[in-house]
Amino acid sequence: MEYKPIRKVVSGNYAAAYAALHSRVQVVAAYPITPQTSIIEKIAEFIANGETDIQYVPVESEHSAMAACIGASATGARAFTATSAQGLALMHEMLHWASGARLPIVMVDVNRAMAPPWSVWDDQTDSLAQRDTGWMQFYAENNQEVYDGVIMAFKVAETVNLPAMVIESAFILSHTYDVVEMIPQELVDEFLPPRKPLYDLADFEREPFSVGSLATPADYYEFRYKIQKAMEEAKKVIKEVGREFGERFGRDYSQMIETYRTDDADFVFMGMGSLMGTVKQAVDILRQEGYKVGAAKVRWFRPFPKEELYELAKNVDGIAVLDRNYSFGMEGILFTEAKGALYNTDAKPLMKNYIVGLGGRDFTVNDVRKIAENMNAVIEKGELDVEVDWYHLKR
């Protein structure tokens, strides 16, 4: 069947809901929280209109939502949920249960700043606080990537048997409408066939088994090692799935770090999510003004793309890491990860951390220009002025 995209003008949240529908999700359990709620409302609308036979499980909290998804996935169903900020924090315990049981649940997290003070605007700290739970993490730049990301996440997750988050920005994507190219159902079915569970559920009545029961110190260690090996395998699978997606549908995701105008760059801006759209626009303007700059968008934060980062870092003089998050007592989280990944390599670009946009504060092309001016001066001098710059802080 020839690929002829179906174009719809939708919000990022609706893009996520359509992706779940087209992925033939079987069970959805979720609890409403701004700015995630319209994802689940749209799925409920699909069910009410008879467009799908998804089983929706109403629950009393996000903790219960993940517990329900874990139960559904353990029986072999394709399970999906969505949440944000405090809701994701409430799920924290169950995230470990999902990855420990090797269940390929897919969840959309709408990045929202953590309270207090209360905020409903964009900030990556909620998802990055879950980086050690064994979940893969894909950060979407735009609504198209939200849609594509959910479908690919199911294929990757079900190949390596680990859960995955697809992460979008609060309001910047979740409630902003744009044209999204959707894939005809028959072609999604070819790309993403029905799930094949890790174990044969047909044998359950003959040979009962339990999931997540006690492991003694003699055995626990190896369970964690196998999760790590699955994360390492996921890097290869992500590239293969991203390449196949590109060959079928014209949007290539074979690189875990998407580079933009980096071939001859003196330094690059590196970051994740929607702010990188602004950065790429700024790069085009800065190039016209004589700056040899590029952009590197980290698509997959877990597993972390160490190898691709090295290939980028060895050819540039500097990396300006833009973090819309913070690890209190240290620095921006992507900055820490990037420095650590390069420490035992021969790639030693000057790296500076710029904290930007916390709580949804605007981050503009002019902001990128000012950061470029500062980074250029740092490189010319050959040393950092400060390692972590809380950019645009009200003094």
Side-chain angles (χ1 to χ4, degrees):
M1 178 180 176
E2 182 183 357
Y3 172 52
K4 293 182 179 179
I6 302 164
R7 294 180 176 86
K8 291 181 180 289
V9 178
V10 294
S11 66
N13 278 359
Y14 282 7
Y18 274 104
L21 175 71
H22 295 161
S23 296
R24 294 198 183 274
V25 166
Q26 295 164 293
V27 177
V28 172
Y31 189 82
I33 182 171
T34 302
Q36 167 272 122
T37 306
S38 57
I39 298 176
I40 305 305
E41 287 178 337
K42 191 64 176 177
I43 292 174
E45 181 182 314
F46 294 148
I47 297 169
N49 292 341
E51 297 176 55
T52 178
D53 59 358
I54 290 173
Q55 183 174 348
Y56 177 72
V57 184
V59 291
E60 75 282 1
S61 73
E62 290 88 355
H63 187 281
S64 298
M66 184 51 61
C69 286
I70 288 169
S73 187
T75 67
R78 185 169 283 164
F80 175 84
T81 189
T83 191
S84 184
Q86 314 301 132
L88 182 60
L90 185 57
M91 281 184 182
H92 179 76
E93 176 196 2
M94 302 311 294
L95 299 186
H96 288 278
W97 280 88
S99 62
R102 306 295 298 276
L103 300 173
I105 301 161
V106 171
M107 168 168 58
V108 170
D109 175 56
V110 183
N111 270 152
R112 167 186 148 181
M114 297 294 294
W118 280 107
S119 171
V120 294
W121 292 279
D122 187 24
D123 192 317
Q124 296 168 343
T125 305
D126 63 341
S127 55
L128 289 173
Q130 313 305 322
R131 64 192 180 277
D132 301 326
T133 58
W135 281 65
M136 296 179 287
Q137 292 193 2
F138 173 89
Y139 284 79
E141 177 190 333
N142 50 49
N143 295 358
Q144 185 69 62
E145 291 190 0
V146 174
Y147 175 83
D148 296 344
V150 170
I151 295 171
M152 287 188 292
F154 272 114
K155 186 156 186 170
V156 173
E158 292 174 7
T159 301
V160 300
N161 291 292
L162 284 176
M165 294 184 199
V166 175
I167 299 151
E168 60 166 314
S169 297
F171 295 102
I172 297 170
L173 299 186
S174 67
H175 287 65
T176 300
Y177 282 67
D178 200 356
V179 176
V180 172
E181 290 191 358
M182 298 188 182
I183 305 166
Q185 186 66 65
E186 296 88 345
L187 295 182
V188 178
D189 293 342
E190 289 179 9
F191 176 78
L192 180 65
R195 178 189 168 197
K196 294 181 180 179
L198 184 61
Y199 34 77
D200 187 359
L201 294 160
D203 287 343
F204 181 74
E205 290 190 7
R206 186 172 68 252
E207 297 182 21
F209 59 88
S210 61
V211 176
S213 56
L214 180 69
T216 68
D219 297 312
Y220 183 91
Y221 189 94
E222 281 69 28
F223 280 104
R224 287 309 180 255
Y225 174 73
K226 289 181 179 180
I227 292 175
Q228 173 57 25
K229 296 305 289 184
M231 278 285 186
E232 292 173 8
E233 179 191 355
K235 291 183 180 182
K236 178 182 177 182
V237 173
I238 285 166
K239 293 176 182 180
E240 291 174 348
V241 168
R243 185 175 296 108
E244 180 188 354
F245 195 94
E247 290 169 353
R248 287 176 178 266
F249 311 122
R251 296 182 293 277
D252 186 279
Y253 291 89
S254 59
Q255 299 302 309
M256 297 174 70
I257 298 178
E258 178 194 285
T259 56
Y260 183 74
R261 303 190 74 167
T262 61
D263 289 346
D264 63 341
D266 292 332
F267 66 92
V268 298
F269 301 99
M270 185 167 70
M272 302 189 296
S274 62
L275 65 82
M276 293 307 293
T278 301
V279 170
K280 286 189 279 189
Q281 182 182 359
V283 164
D284 290 339
I285 296 170
L286 289 165
R287 283 276 179 171
Q288 294 173 4
E289 296 174 358
Y291 286 93
K292 293 174 68 176
V293 296
K297 179 179 71 180
V298 178
R299 285 174 169 153
W300 290 87
F301 179 79
R302 280 292 183 271
F304 194 78
K306 296 194 321 185
E307 299 80 7
E308 291 183 29
L309 175 59
Y310 169 73
E311 292 301 320
L312 170 72
K314 69 182 183 181
N315 294 316
V316 297
D317 296 325
I319 301 178
V321 182
L322 309 174
D323 269 306
R324 200 168 208 154
N325 60 77
Y326 202 78
S327 178
F328 299 108
M330 189 57 176
E331 57 204 3
I333 296 167
L334 179 59
F335 187 56
T336 297
E337 298 272 338
K339 288 194 304 178
L342 294 175
Y343 183 78
N344 283 327
T345 74
D346 58 0
K348 303 294 182 184
L350 280 169
M351 298 180 68
K352 182 173 176 178
N353 193 195
Y354 298 87
I355 309 303
V356 301
L358 299 185
R361 182 170 292 184
D362 285 345
F363 182 66
T364 68
V365 167
N366 194 48
D367 292 326
V368 181
R369 176 186 282 106
K370 290 179 180 178
I371 290 172
E373 291 170 356
N374 176 253
M375 194 68 192
N376 193 57
V378 164
I379 291 172
E380 287 182 352
K381 189 176 181 181
E383 62 181 18
L384 296 176
D385 45 3
V386 294
E387 189 173 32
V388 180
D389 185 347
W390 283 70
Y391 174 78
H392 222 212
L393 187 67
K394 294 179 180 177
R395 307 279 180 190

